[in-house]
């Protein structure tokens, strides 16, 4: 990133200030003196002599017993690995267990998304929004919340939590169905913001078309057109 | 019934015996009751630990330690009436109850600064039915009992081991550890509001598990088979309006499945492992 400051005529009012800033931009940075360089090199050398590398500290070069012991350890380790190779079954079992836990925890998340308590549903939506990897089931459950939840805050949060999911072909169709089905401007604006923030070009174009076809709330048409104009779509 | 005092009652008058000084009385004693098959233990405690362990087949033995305190001598006398300690055998049930019945709890004036802490260790026949609870400053522990166990707490944890059957294990601010020696013999609910639930099953023990966590997650060192749990439909009626709610919990099977354990926590995790 450039650290150059653009003068728009307001930041630096007079020409004297502008000249000063330009001089500062082009001024050479002060070089360290030869004395300072010498002192730093000297300190570095002294520190290196005192500490040495980790293995020279661990195994003194003058002691051949240490070298022999290390060789014996390496040989034992190698022999051990040959006799008892790493158990691939354990690795497979761990991978299977991890998959099962992911699946159960995902099921748990989906069950929370349908909980009776609105606060539990809202907490689940927020949790879903922080997941690194989401599959189609979670996206579908979020869409379901976005479309049908009784509580507007849960609906809005679910729409926001969808994020990049809206670019999936199966989701993008549903998000426009949702837009058409929701009369509430609050929910519609959440959907529009989601598309404007995360939607790919095709989605943005589709939104523009729907706005001009009157499929969005009249009070939001202007907002969509203005944003599309700013995005040059 | 046999009663023996290990320590004679100690009455301590604090601050030079002035009438406004706190009064504390400590007692330690044991009691034992002969029982026949299918004995039952009932403990309703307020302050202190409750521990139940496996004992001889024909006796319920209690080892008790009580500390009664009040702000002054007058309140101390009043506390005997307001927070009585009752122990007795009714049929084949041995019962320990601290405090009055809930129905008459608010009768009379408030006993300021009064408390009766009771720590109790009970040995019971291995097949006894257990129904124990405490509220504050204590944990509930049940070890090596094959009978049906119900254990509740409010501000403390519940530890169980060697379980074969339970009805409810429930606390509010505490952890739950449920260690099953065999596959659970019946459905059981394990619930805490602010705490973790550790479910341990011995090798070869199987169960179906239904989980309802709001902020926690499931961890396991045991292979689980995710499975769908039937949705639960609840019908409530309020102000003439009917309301139906449908909830579906997450579920999984351990081994080949069996009775259902329902695990619920608001702010805690669930850990599943083999004991």
């Amino acid at each position: 990133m450039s650290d150059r400051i653009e003068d728009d005529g307001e930041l630096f009012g007079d020409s004297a200030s502008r000249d000063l800033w330009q001089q500062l931009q082009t001024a050479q940075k002060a070089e360290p003196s030869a004395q300072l360089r010498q002192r730093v090199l000297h300190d570095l050398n002294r520190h290196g002599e005192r500490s040495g590398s980790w293995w020279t500290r661990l195994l003194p070069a003058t002691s051949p017993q240490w070298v022999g012991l290390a060789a014996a350890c390496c040989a034992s380790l190698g022999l051990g690995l040959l006799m008892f190779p790493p158990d691939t079954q354990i690795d497979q079992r761990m991978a299977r267990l991890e998959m099962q836990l992911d699946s159960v925890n995902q099921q748990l998340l989906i069950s929370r998304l349908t909980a009776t308590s609105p606060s539990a549903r809202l907490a689940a939506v927020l949790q879903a929004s922080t997941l690194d990897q989401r599959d189609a089931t979670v996206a579908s459950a979020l869409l379901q919340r976005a479309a049908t939840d009784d509580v507007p805050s849960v609906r809005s949060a679910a729409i926001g939590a969808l994020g990049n999911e809206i670019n999936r072909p199966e989701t993008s169709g549903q998000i426009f169905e949702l837009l058409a089905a929701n009369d509430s401007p609050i929910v519609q604006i959440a959907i529009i913001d989601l598309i404007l923030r995360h939607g790919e070009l095709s989605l943005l174009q589709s939104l523009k078309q729907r706005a001009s076809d009157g499929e969005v709330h009249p009070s939001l048409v202007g907002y969509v057109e203005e944003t599309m104009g700013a995005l040059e779509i | 019934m046999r009663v023996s005092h290990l320590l004679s009652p100690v009455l301590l008058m604090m601050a030079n015996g002035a009438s406004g000084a706190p009064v504390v009385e400590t007692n330690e004693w044991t009691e034992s009751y002969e029982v026949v098959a299918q004995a039952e233990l009932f403990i309703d405690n307020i302050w202190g630990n409750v521990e139940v362990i496996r004992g001889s087949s024909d006796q319920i033995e209690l080892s008790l330690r009580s500390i009664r305190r009040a702000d002054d001598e007058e309140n101390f006398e009043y506390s005997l009436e307001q927070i009585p300690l009752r122990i007795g055998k009714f049929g084949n049930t041995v019962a320990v109850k601290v405090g009055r019945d809930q129905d008459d709890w608010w009768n009379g004036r408030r006993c300021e600064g009064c408390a009766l802490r009771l720590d109790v260790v009970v040995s019971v026949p291995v097949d006894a039915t257990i129904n124990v609870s405490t509220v504050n400053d204590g944990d509930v522990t049940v070890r090596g009992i094959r009978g049906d166990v119900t254990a509740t707490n409010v501000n403390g944890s519940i530890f169980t081991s060697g379980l074969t059957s339970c009805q409810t294990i429930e606390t509010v601010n505490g952890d739950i550890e449920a260690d099953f020696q065999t596959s659970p013999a019946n459905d059981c609910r394990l619930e805490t509001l602010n705490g973790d639930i550790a479910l341990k099953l011995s090798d070869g023990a199987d169960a179906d598990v239904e989980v309802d966590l709001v902020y926690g997650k499931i961890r396991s060192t045991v292979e689980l088979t995710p499975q769908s749990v039937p949705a639960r439909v609840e019908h409530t009626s309020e102000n003439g309006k009917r309301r139906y709610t449908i909830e579906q919990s997450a579920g999984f099977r351990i081994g080949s499945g069996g009775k259902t354990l329902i695990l619920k926590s608001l702010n805690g995790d669930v850990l599943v492992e083999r004991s």
Side-chain angles (χ1 to χ4, degrees):
Chain A
M1 194 178 114
S2 166
D3 59 356
R4 197 170 151 211
I5 299 170
E6 295 291 340
D7 182 4
D8 56 3
E10 286 177 20
L11 189 58
F12 308 115
D14 57 337
S15 62
S17 301
R18 192 160 47 237
D19 289 341
L20 175 64
W21 277 99
Q22 274 177 352
Q23 280 168 21
L24 281 172
Q25 296 264 16
T26 54
Q28 290 224 329
K29 289 188 176 94
E31 286 281 311
S33 69
Q35 216 174 5
L36 181 65
R37 282 170 189 272
Q38 213 169 11
R39 199 167 65 233
V40 170
L41 282 172
H42 175 71
D43 286 352
L44 281 172
N45 280 336
R46 205 174 53 181
H47 181 72
E49 278 166 13
R50 196 169 52 213
S51 56
S53 60
W54 66 270
W55 60 272
T56 53
R57 272 177 281 146
L58 193 67
L59 296 174
T62 52
S63 169
Q65 290 94 330
W66 278 104
V67 179
L69 187 64
C73 284
C74 289
S76 309
L77 189 65
L79 195 66
L81 282 171
L82 279 174
M83 287 176 70
F84 307 102
D87 194 344
T88 50
Q89 279 189 339
I90 290 177
D91 292 343
Q92 283 171 357
R93 189 178 162 265
M94 290 304 290
R96 199 165 56 234
L97 185 60
E98 209 168 309
M99 269 175 54
Q100 288 168 349
L101 278 174
D102 283 348
S103 170
V104 170
N105 278 307
Q106 183 178 298
Q107 199 189 355
L108 180 66
L109 177 65
I110 290 166
S111 78
R112 285 177 193 159
L113 284 167
T114 57
T116 319
S117 151
S119 60
R121 293 200 301 276
L122 190 58
V125 168
L126 295 176
Q127 196 204 347
S129 69
T130 60
L131 284 182
D132 292 334
Q133 289 178 331
R134 280 187 301 204
D135 71 355
T137 327
V138 176
S140 170
L142 280 172
L143 261 172
Q144 181 74 10
R145 281 302 99 210
T148 61
D149 205 286
D150 293 340
V151 183
S153 59
V154 178
R155 271 203 319 268
S156 304
I159 290 164
L162 280 165
N164 287 325
E165 303 287 343
I166 56 163
N167 293 313
R168 291 185 185 200
E170 66 271 19
T171 317
S172 58
Q174 284 175 291
I175 202 85
F176 282 118
E177 280 173 26
L178 198 59
L179 185 70
N182 264 289
D183 291 337
S184 158
I186 294 170
V187 177
Q188 280 203 356
I189 202 164
I191 297 168
I192 289 166
D193 271 344
L194 177 74
I195 297 170
L196 292 174
R197 217 177 305 139
H198 297 283
E200 288 171 353
L201 184 62
S202 59
L203 230 56
L204 292 167
Q205 285 169 336
S206 184
L207 175 63
K208 189 180 176 187
Q209 185 61 45
R210 281 160 198 267
S212 55
D213 290 349
E215 284 186 30
V216 300
H217 197 274
S219 61
L220 298 175
V221 174
Y223 171 64
V224 173
E225 284 173 352
E226 195 180 311
T227 315
M228 292 294 177
L231 292 170
E232 297 176 358
I233 292 167
Chain B
M1 183 195 84
R2 198 176 70 235
V3 180
S4 64
H5 281 267
L6 299 178
L7 284 179
S8 54
V10 181
L11 190 65
L12 298 173
M13 295 281 291
M14 312 298 284
N16 304 322
S19 63
V23 182
V24 181
E25 185 191 70
T26 304
N27 276 303
E28 260 185 65
W29 75 103
T30 59
E31 295 189 18
S32 63
Y33 298 88
E34 285 189 9
V35 289
V36 291
Q38 293 301 310
E40 190 175 346
L41 174 71
F42 174 85
I43 297 178
D44 187 1
N45 195 10
I46 299 177
W47 298 274
N49 296 301
V50 174
E51 185 174 356
V52 183
I53 54 174
R54 181 191 295 199
S56 63
S57 60
D58 58 352
Q59 279 200 331
I60 289 183
E61 291 178 312
L62 300 105
S63 175
L64 305 115
R65 182 172 189 268
S66 73
I67 304 170
R68 181 182 291 276
R69 78 173 302 285
D71 280 354
D72 52 38
E73 206 167 353
E74 189 192 338
N75 269 320
F76 185 86
E77 290 302 318
Y78 188 51
S79 80
L80 295 168
E81 182 191 326
Q82 283 293 307
I83 317 170
L85 169 60
R86 285 171 292 187
I87 303 172
K89 185 182 166 212
F90 310 94
N92 215 28
T93 301
V94 172
V96 178
K97 182 166 174 60
V98 176
R100 293 164 61 159
D101 290 336
Q102 283 193 330
D103 291 346
D104 60 0
W105 179 254
W106 296 107
N107 290 343
R109 70 173 171 86
R110 190 178 162 83
C111 192
E112 291 296 337
C114 303
L116 173 62
R117 182 185 174 95
L118 180 73
D119 293 308
V120 54
V121 179
V122 193
S123 65
V124 298
V126 68
D127 293 321
T129 301
I130 308 296
N131 187 339
V132 287
S133 70
T134 189
V135 179
N136 285 317
D137 290 335
D139 295 329
V140 175
T141 309
V142 181
R143 300 205 184 281
I145 306 300
R146 285 204 303 258
D148 211 16
V149 172
T150 299
T152 59
N153 199 345
V154 177
N155 293 310
S157 298
I158 300 176
F159 305 103
T160 60
S161 62
L163 278 180
T164 60
S165 170
C166 63
Q167 291 292 331
T168 306
I169 297 176
E170 185 179 25
T171 182
V172 178
N173 297 309
D175 297 331
I176 291 176
E177 190 180 299
D179 185 345
F180 284 87
Q181 192 183 19
T182 60
S183 301
N186 50 8
D187 294 349
C188 182
R189 191 165 56 87
L190 291 82
E191 186 169 352
T192 173
L193 204 65
N194 298 307
D196 296 331
I197 300 173
L199 173 65
K200 299 179 182 180
L201 281 92
S202 63
D203 283 336
D206 307 321
D208 283 331
V209 181
E210 202 178 306
V211 187
D212 185 359
L213 304 176
V214 177
Y215 293 104
K217 64 192 292 191
I218 300 164
R219 294 178 289 135
S220 174
T221 57
V222 181
E223 288 201 20
L224 316 169
T225 313
Q227 65 172 9
S228 61
V229 175
R232 188 176 293 127
V233 182
E234 282 181 13
H235 169 223
T236 50
S237 195
E238 198 176 325
N239 299 330
K241 289 180 181 173
R242 288 181 180 181
R243 188 181 170 88
Y244 290 91
T245 53
I246 304 171
E247 281 202 9
Q248 188 166 27
S249 301
F252 56 84
R253 174 162 285 182
I254 302 170
S256 54
K259 295 294 179 184
T260 303
L261 301 173
I262 299 168
L263 315 184
K264 285 187 173 188
S265 176
L266 179 72
N267 291 312
D269 293 338
V270 163
L271 170 66
V272 184
E273 56 187 359
R274 290 287 182 195
S275 52

